[in-house]
Amino acid sequence: MIEYVKGELTDVTPAYAVVEAHGVGYGMNISLNTYSAIQGKKEVRLWVFESIREDAYQLFGFASRQEREMFMLLITVSGVGANTARMILSSLSVQELCNAISTGDERLLKGVKGIGLRTAQRIIVDLKDKIITSGIAQELPSNAGTATPLVDNSVKDEAVGALTMLGFAPAPSAKVVLAILKEQPGLPVEQVVKLALKQIK
């Protein structure tokens, strides 16, 4: 079992990262929260979750153990798979998710693409006690500030690329991303994608 991978960050998008360690490049699916934490860094350590199925072997990487623990809790909920869990952790920070679960905020959870009322209710019921016993909420690190890149086509292209990797069609994704950038041209890629996730239905 791979616990974490530490090495050079050789490639990163809002949905995928490649870390080279001892000559091996490990490709990992990541959330926007992890992207925010590692972008611009040369050396990183990503905590790993291995998803092994008959038809696929995937690695999911997380900038913190708390995010990985939350991911592992989410996929224990009926109806929440690995990609849905990553979508949730791309739309909400671990702190926001803990708060939503502890306060029973179905509305916030329903705002995540692919999460309906029943799934939101199951997440709250199934995880309310677990987030306390696991200690995730108590161990959360402070949010790191993210630099705002210059607004250009690379922001738009990267955001659309991330949404495409998350399963959305490129055309409607581009339309939503452009509308967001017209209103808020200074947003970094991860914030554009977070807003787009709430608007694409």
Side-chain angles (χ1 to χ4, degrees):
M1 176 178 161
I2 301 173
E3 179 69 4
Y4 63 82
V5 175
K6 183 178 181 181
E8 182 184 355
L9 183 64
T10 59
D11 191 24
V12 64
T13 72
Y16 195 77
V18 178
V19 179
E20 183 178 334
H22 305 293
V24 179
Y26 295 89
M28 289 171 273
N29 296 296
I30 62 172
S31 70
L32 283 173
N33 288 322
T34 288
Y35 173 75
S36 297
I38 67 174
Q39 69 170 148
K41 292 186 178 180
K42 187 174 181 180
E43 297 284 328
V44 298
R45 178 174 67 175
L46 292 182
W47 301 88
V48 175
F49 174 81
E50 298 174 83
S51 174
I52 303 172
R53 304 196 313 262
E54 288 183 10
D55 60 339
Y57 173 59
Q58 293 180 301
L59 297 179
F60 290 82
F62 306 92
S64 69
R65 293 180 71 170
Q66 290 77 22
E67 189 183 12
R68 183 180 65 173
E69 287 173 29
M70 180 58 81
F71 176 90
M72 292 171 70
L73 287 177
L74 284 169
I75 61 176
T76 66
V77 178
S78 176
V80 179
N83 285 324
T84 301
R86 178 172 66 154
M87 183 76 75
I88 294 170
L89 288 168
S90 290
S91 301
L92 303 169
S93 69
V94 178
Q95 181 69 65
E96 289 170 334
L97 189 51
C98 281
N99 289 341
I101 293 169
S102 62
T103 60
D105 192 345
E106 298 169 358
R107 187 174 160 189
L108 186 62
L109 291 171
K110 277 176 59 188
V112 178
K113 171 69 179 175
I115 301 297
L117 177 60
R118 288 188 180 181
T119 302
Q121 290 172 337
R122 276 199 298 266
I123 290 171
I124 291 167
V125 171
D126 290 2
L127 302 186
K128 197 163 191 176
D129 292 335
K130 291 181 181 178
I131 62 170
I132 296 171
T133 56
S134 69
I136 291 176
Q138 288 74 34
E139 297 173 6
L140 288 173
S142 59
N143 292 328
T146 55
T148 303
L150 293 173
V151 175
D152 55 27
N153 281 329
S154 66
V155 174
K156 181 197 73 160
D157 293 342
E158 211 169 346
V160 173
L163 291 164
T164 303
M165 288 183 74
L166 289 170
F168 298 101
S173 297
K175 186 176 179 181
V176 171
V177 167
L178 278 171
I180 292 168
L181 286 173
K182 281 180 182 178
E183 288 185 15
Q184 303 179 72
L187 287 180
V189 175
E190 63 270 18
Q191 290 298 328
V192 173
V193 176
K194 280 189 179 185
L195 288 173
L197 287 173
K198 295 176 181 177
Q199 295 180 30
I200 301 175
K201 296 295 179 184

